[in-house]
Amino acid sequence: MPELPPMSTSPDVLVLGGGAAGTAAALAARSAGATVTLVRAGPGATHMCAGGWNAAPPAPFVAALEAAGHPLRTAAGPLPHPSGWLRHDPLAAAHHAGARLDGGTLVAGIAGLPGFRAAALAALWADAAGIDLLRHATLALDRTPAAGWAPASLAAQLEQDPALLAAPLAGAVKSAGASLVIIPVVAGFDPSPRLLERIAEQAGATVVEALGMPPSLPGLRLGRALDAALRSAGVEVVEGRAALEGAGAQTGAGTSHAVIVTGDGAARSTARTIRFGRCVLATGGYAGGGIRAEPELREPALGCAVHVEALGRLFSSAEPLLLTAPDRTASQPLLEAGVHTDGDGRPLREDGSVFSPDVYAAGAVVAGAAQRVHGLGDAATAGWAAGLRAAR
Amino acid sequence: MRRRIQAWLNLAYRFNRHVLVTLPARALRGGDGDLFRAATAAEGLLPLLPAERALLPRTMRCVHCGLCAFVPPPGPPEPYSAWQEPWTFVGGEARALDRAALAAGTAAMVARAADADAICPTGTAISGAARMITRLAAAAERTEESAP
């Protein structure tokens, strides 16, 4: 890929959002030879992922992740989730992909770690997989705080001292005669599975992680890998919140666009204007910060009209009783709120006209996407396609 | 006639008792609201300040994504529990919280919450919730100490 001049203030393609869709769009546009600036406000829905990929993303995107030390692998079987069910993702991060449920599998929990009860999960996973009961063990680690472990704290401790887990795990493996151990997601923050491999080596068995749940270490690892992929592709990354300059004005093809990027925290007082040719909006849905409810529902970056797909109408104000379903496991209309797009993925105005011929939307910011795009693979695929369109 | 006199006498007695005993006693011991607060405060249930009540809707934006859990705690990486993670007290605010466990990590919790505000994708008032929880924890502790 061609080298970018530092701190480009007028890229060919501006990408808003740094999750799976936004990063894929930036890498795709870059691979097509465009200069790309990516603006992101912080971690979003991608950083909450469980570790599985619901579909295979484009091969160059997978290669970029591999080069960033975060390989995706074909799942050995249904992937166990700490909620007690199995997910049938075709791909997963290498930390999780090797999980399989059979007679040689040991489910190992950690005393004091919330959200992973080995005995219950072994029974639930065995039931879901239609096999006899899985063996299970709960490991007591040294230095466990009186009130139990925070997952992030345990991950930090294991990065310094893998033997903290490997030593009791070796004992459990020996007494159970297990060939594969499924542990909760605690093997460090690094995108690569090196720490897990070290623990496995010391424990004397293959060790894999179950899928994760918030607070999501798989999401943090993926975020770091996406970061590295953007850097190595020469994409300029700007931290801050973007807002369209002159929002609400009619924008035609070829007209000049600009966003004002305001930093967060200490950099809040600094603002920067970025002019761009085309833009990919991939800021995520409500959970990712791309749709705000303050209390009116709005899309803060470009000011696109927000729809709630499940209710079939445009929403200018949030009505909590309509936007949330009492059944917490049901699809939540608020999480489905987003922009409507035409056949080419361009956001539409309230009257159905195209917001701008130079703007494309991808990922969870598209209304109803959270229901349709139930995973990273589809988000990255949509982002990649939007990035190529924008660079065309 | 006799019953009517009894009724009038009873009414006069009740009126006098209300004016001479009940009202002064209430003025001395406080109103019903004070009585209610005294009874509930002993159980650690303390009233919120007006500013805290105004803040509550912003704390309800939390979708329990857990991103704030990765805001590093201040100081060296000592082992810590989930009670010191912002998402525990924001997500669990409406539930029964072990305020004593929260209070044990008060300083770290408040310091992390300020940084967590910046990372929260839904704009949840994490630092405000942290201050509220720590105030309630400290007040409940004082109430327990002064309880007979």
Side-chain angles (χ1 to χ4, degrees):
Chain A
M1 290 180 184
E3 284 297 312
L4 261 185
M7 300 298 282
S8 164
T9 53
S10 52
D12 300 328
V13 176
L14 175 72
V15 177
L16 302 177
T23 303
L27 295 178
R30 196 77 183 100
S31 71
T35 55
V36 183
T37 296
L38 183 144
V39 179
R40 61 182 181 197
T46 294
H47 295 73
M48 308 170 200
C49 73
W53 289 68
N54 72 318
F61 182 78
V62 176
L65 283 182
E66 179 112 27
H70 192 66
L72 302 185
R73 297 280 179 261
T74 303
L79 299 170
H81 189 276
S83 293
W85 35 269
L86 303 177
R87 248 174 76 159
H88 296 270
D89 289 329
L91 289 180
H95 302 75
H96 323 279
R100 61 169 205 278
L101 303 171
D102 58 32
T105 304
L106 170 72
V107 180
I110 294 167
L113 184 75
F116 195 97
R117 305 277 174 228
L121 289 175
L124 289 166
W125 291 339
D127 187 47
I131 59 174
D132 289 339
L133 275 179
L134 293 168
R135 281 168 293 177
H136 60 86
T138 300
L139 311 174
L141 309 190
D142 292 340
R143 305 201 291 275
T144 301
W149 286 104
S153 175
L154 181 53
Q157 296 295 315
L158 291 178
E159 282 199 330
Q160 292 180 340
D161 178 17
L164 180 67
L165 173 62
L169 195 56
V173 165
K174 199 173 173 185
S175 66
S179 58
L180 183 137
V181 187
I182 299 176
I183 62 170
V185 185
V186 290
F189 305 108
D190 194 81
S192 82
R194 279 192 295 269
L195 177 59
L196 199 60
E197 289 161 3
R198 283 178 64 192
I199 292 171
E201 199 177 307
Q202 293 178 33
T206 305
V207 179
V208 296
E209 290 179 333
L211 293 175
M213 58 195 300
S216 170
L217 276 170
L220 188 85
R221 294 169 186 156
L222 176 60
R224 290 185 174 185
L226 294 175
D227 224 18
L230 288 170
R231 275 200 308 273
S232 83
V235 174
E236 185 198 8
V237 177
V238 177
E239 306 281 350
R241 296 187 185 278
L244 187 67
E245 193 178 57
Q250 286 291 333
T251 48
T255 54
S256 176
H257 311 288
V259 291
I260 300 169
V261 180
T262 315
D264 273 326
R268 191 178 291 279
S269 57
T270 62
R272 178 181 165 193
T273 302
I274 301 175
R275 305 201 172 277
F276 59 93
R278 294 196 168 172
C279 174
V280 176
L281 178 70
T283 45
Y286 175 76
I291 301 294
R292 311 287 285 190
E294 299 176 331
E296 291 82 17
L297 284 180
R298 66 187 189 93
E299 184 282 295
L302 301 181
C304 296
V306 175
H307 297 254
V308 179
E309 194 77 352
L311 303 175
R313 57 186 165 128
L314 185 76
F315 256 79
S316 56
S317 64
E319 296 177 27
L321 290 179
L322 290 176
L323 293 177
T324 53
D327 177 2
R328 294 185 68 192
T329 58
S331 172
Q332 298 291 328
L334 178 59
L335 303 184
E336 304 291 327
V339 302
H340 272 176
T341 56
D342 69 358
D344 284 334
R346 292 176 297 196
L348 300 175
R349 294 178 182 279
E350 291 178 29
D351 61 9
S353 62
V354 171
F355 177 80
S356 165
D358 298 325
V359 175
Y360 299 86
V365 74
V366 177
Q371 205 167 28
R372 291 194 307 273
V373 184
H374 195 67
L376 298 168
D378 287 336
T381 303
W384 191 271
L388 288 180
R389 281 195 204 105
R392 201 178 294 155
Chain B
M1 185 63 187
R2 192 172 146 217
R3 282 176 169 262
R4 183 167 291 183
I5 291 170
Q6 277 178 343
W8 279 108
L9 286 173
N10 184 41
L11 189 62
Y13 167 75
R14 295 289 169 192
F15 178 77
N16 280 297
R17 183 179 163 76
H18 182 74
V19 172
L20 298 175
V21 179
T22 309
L23 290 180
R26 188 175 292 175
L28 288 175
R29 74 170 184 223
D32 291 344
D34 293 333
L35 277 177
F36 176 78
R37 279 190 284 276
T40 52
E43 297 176 14
L45 301 168
L46 300 161
L48 300 182
L49 303 174
E52 291 170 341
R53 284 198 292 276
L55 187 76
L56 280 179
R58 282 192 56 213
T59 66
M60 293 174 191
R61 292 180 183 177
C62 177
V63 291
H64 305 191
C65 68
L67 294 176
C68 52
F70 297 115
V71 173
E78 292 297 317
Y80 58 88
S81 79
W83 288 106
Q84 287 167 258
E85 292 190 324
W87 81 307
T88 300
F89 63 82
V90 176
E93 193 179 353
R95 306 173 202 156
L97 282 175
D98 184 348
R99 287 188 184 142
L102 283 171
T106 296
M109 183 171 84
V110 173
R112 299 178 77 194
D115 291 335
D117 277 346
I119 213 173
C120 179
T122 61
T124 305
I126 297 174
S127 57
R131 283 193 298 273
M132 178 173 73
I133 293 286
T134 48
R135 184 190 73 78
L136 291 173
E141 208 171 316
R142 282 197 301 273
T143 308
E144 275 174 24
E145 281 169 6
S146 62

